[in-house]
Amino acid sequence: MANLVACQLVSSPDVSVNLKQVEDFIAQQNAGDLVVLPECFACFGAGDAALLSITEELDEGPIQCALSAMAAKYKVWLVAGTIPLSTIKSGKYTASCLVFDDAGRRVDEYQKIHLFDVEVEDGTRNYLESKYTQAGEKVVVVDSPFGKIGVAVCYDVRFAGMFVAMGDIDVLVLPSAFTRTTGKAHWEPLLKARAIEKQCYLVAANQGGVHANGRETYGHSCVISPWGETLSEIATGTGTAKAKFEPSEISRIRTNMPVQQHNQFRSYLV
């Protein structure tokens, strides 16, 4: 039986070091597992502008080649956090989450839609993700051996309408770099709410510590059941949270409590 795996990193600005750690984690998993990496896994802790220097074209570049090779070598489905990909706008990139199958083929790309332009009471205080990031516009659901996988990134989790637009999904993946301050307040309740309302597994892979530029991320990467139970979690630092994927559990919960059949607002689905 396949596992759902959330990898937690404390990524540095050094791409090669981060990719080595990613491969170390993937090598420990079983063939057929679904492995999710955190947001900005390849480069973090040097400011958003630093990501411009590692921006790649879609389906080209060393980061994507490495990810494809890892997925194929270890025969896992890989949700590759986010990496910066080129846009037509000069000086901007998309925060793109690429999904690779167990043969190393890219099967889809999700571009982060909701950008983190906020003030937080921490050492960074002002976050302006839109300065360098071009927001995406398309909701992405991927067909896979795990059923339908809905893809979202970090700040997206606050916008319930996005998950309504996904329709029925079996697994929700959420690569993140949630701040320590906002994570302490909102991470767990938001994740559990999404798993419960969608009656699906949720795999949340977060950054988990203090980074090179002093930015603090919350960690607590986890796998949550369709009933809203935390099946596995890692608090801070690096490591993995892992749980069995049991489609029968999804069916049981949806049969006993057919929320979508009872939903009086289905006509609003995008």
Side-chain angles (χ1 to χ4, degrees):
M1 187 176 293
N3 296 306
L4 305 173
V5 183
C7 294
Q8 184 163 291
L9 305 176
V10 185
S11 295
S12 74
D14 190 321
V15 174
S16 61
V17 170
N18 296 328
L19 286 177
K20 174 64 167 62
Q21 188 165 45
V22 165
E23 182 162 15
D24 288 344
F25 281 144
I26 293 175
Q28 298 171 28
Q29 312 314 318
N30 299 325
D33 286 352
L34 175 65
V35 180
V36 183
L37 305 180
E39 185 177 19
C40 298
F41 69 91
C43 180
F44 196 66
D48 293 336
L51 295 178
L52 284 171
S53 66
I54 65 163
T55 298
E56 299 181 355
E57 299 287 339
L58 182 62
D59 296 327
E60 299 178 13
I63 297 174
Q64 292 170 85
C65 285
L67 295 169
S68 173
M70 290 177 205
K73 180 178 180 180
Y74 300 105
K75 295 180 171 44
V76 299
W77 275 70
L78 178 62
V79 179
T82 61
I83 63 171
L85 294 185
S86 299
T87 71
I88 59 173
K89 284 195 173 184
S90 176
K92 286 201 172 188
Y93 46 76
T94 58
S96 290
C97 180
L98 304 179
V99 181
F100 296 88
D101 68 14
D102 55 4
R105 296 175 294 230
R106 180 183 64 80
V107 296
D108 220 326
E109 173 199 10
Y110 167 67
Q111 298 176 356
K112 185 178 182 182
I113 292 173
H114 299 99
L115 302 182
F116 197 59
D117 291 357
V118 305
E119 291 188 14
V120 176
E121 293 182 1
D122 64 7
T124 302
R125 294 200 65 80
N126 293 304
Y127 294 82
L128 189 61
E129 191 173 18
S130 65
K131 183 175 181 180
Y132 295 104
T133 306
Q134 178 66 42
E137 299 178 343
K138 180 184 175 185
V139 172
V140 170
V141 175
V142 180
D143 290 323
S144 79
F146 305 86
K148 292 186 178 296
I149 300 174
V151 185
V153 172
C154 201
Y155 192 45
D156 286 332
V157 75
R158 295 180 181 271
F159 300 91
M162 177 174 177
F163 305 97
V164 174
M166 288 180 179
D168 291 337
I169 55 174
D170 302 290
V171 181
L172 176 59
V173 294
L174 189 80
S176 299
F178 241 72
T179 73
R180 182 172 182 271
T181 299
T182 58
K184 285 175 65 178
H186 300 148
W187 175 252
E188 183 178 8
L190 284 168
L191 297 182
K192 291 197 169 187
R194 297 296 165 251
I196 292 166
E197 69 190 6
K198 299 304 293 183
Q199 298 181 307
C200 72
Y201 284 95
L202 188 148
V203 188
N206 201 17
Q207 296 280 352
V210 180
H211 301 268
N213 60 354
R215 183 169 170 179
E216 294 184 73
T217 46
Y218 182 59
H220 293 81
S221 299
C222 57
V223 180
I224 297 175
S225 81
W227 192 244
E229 303 162 299
T230 300
L231 302 175
S232 179
E233 181 178 25
I234 174 172
T236 57
T238 62
T240 59
K242 179 190 301 187
K244 297 290 185 185
F245 174 66
E246 300 186 73
S248 61
E249 185 68 1
I250 300 173
S251 299
R252 183 186 68 82
I253 289 170
R254 292 177 180 176
T255 298
N256 293 344
M257 187 180 291
V259 170
Q260 292 309 311
Q261 293 178 38
H262 295 160
N263 185 1
Q264 299 302 303
F265 295 92
R266 286 186 66 83
S267 61
Y268 289 86
L269 290 175
V270 176

